[in-house]
Amino acid sequence: MTVELVNRSGALVPETQMHTLIDFGIKYMELNPECEISLTFVDPQEMEELHIKWMDETGPTDVLSFPMDLPESKGEVVTLGDIVIAPAVAAQQAQSAGHSVEEEIYILATHGLLHILGYDHADPDEEKVMFALQEKIVKEWSLTVTK
C-alpha cells in the first residue's frame, strides 16, 4: 500500500497509525494493497478554502475526500484519491464526542476512505450503513495495533 502522508496543519498527528489504519481499511474493503492514496492534514484556513472551492460551503469542515479511480476488476491497482483532514476541527469534535483527538482522526480518515470508495450519507439509510462500517473498521483495526 502506498500512502502519501503530508502534514501542513501545524498539529501533531499519529502518522504511523494513519498508515496502518488506511492499509487495514484497504484490505478490509478487499482492494489490492498496492492501491495508492494521499492523506493530507491542513489548518482550518486551508480547509475552509477547500470547502468553499469544492463544496461551495463556508467554514472549515473536518474531512474532505477527492476520489480518483476505483478498480474495474478485483485486484486492480489504482490511485484511489485524496483525503484531507483538519486536526483543529477534529479536536473540537473529539471534545464534543468525549474521546481523544487521535480517535476522531481515525474516524475521519476511515470516513474519507469510504467516501472515496463511493459510500455516502445523504439519506438516513446510507448514513446508517456508512457510519456502521466506519465504526467497524476503526474498532477492528484498533484491536490489531499498539497505540
Side-chain angles (χ1 to χ4, degrees), residues 40 60 64 123 125 133:
T40 304
L64 288 172
D123 69 52
D125 290 337
L133 184 55

Side-chain angles (χ1 to χ4, degrees), residues 12-132:
L12 292 175
V13 296
E15 292 186 20
T16 300
Q17 289 87 345
M18 298 314 302
H19 284 277
T20 64
L21 172 61
I22 297 297
D23 186 41
F24 183 89
I26 293 293
K27 289 176 185 171
Y28 188 91
M29 299 304 291
E30 299 181 349
L31 298 168
N32 189 314
E34 297 302 314
C35 287
E36 295 181 5
I37 197 159
S38 169
L39 180 59
T40 304
F41 294 92
V42 298
D43 63 31
Q45 181 181 343
E46 185 175 351
M47 182 59 96
E48 181 173 17
E49 291 168 7
L50 292 169
H51 200 208
I52 291 168
K53 180 177 182 175
W54 296 104
M55 304 299 289
D56 200 24
E57 295 183 26
T58 58
T61 190
D62 51 3
V63 61
L64 288 172
S65 298
F66 300 95
M68 293 178 102
D69 297 315
L70 285 176
E72 292 183 17
S73 61
K74 190 168 178 74
E76 182 181 10
V77 177
V78 296
T79 300
L80 294 168
D82 304 319
I83 301 168
V84 181
I85 297 173
V89 177
Q92 294 169 347
Q93 292 177 176
Q95 186 174 23
S96 297
H99 55 236
S100 71
V101 176
E102 290 80 10
E103 183 71 16
E104 186 69 18
I105 288 173
Y106 303 149
I107 292 166
L108 294 175
T110 304
H111 186 87
L113 174 62
L114 292 177
H115 270 308
I116 283 175
L117 298 177
Y119 287 82
D120 203 358
H121 47 88
D123 69 52
D125 290 337
E126 289 177 337
E127 180 177 318
K128 191 174 185 179
V129 169
M130 183 177 181
F131 283 54

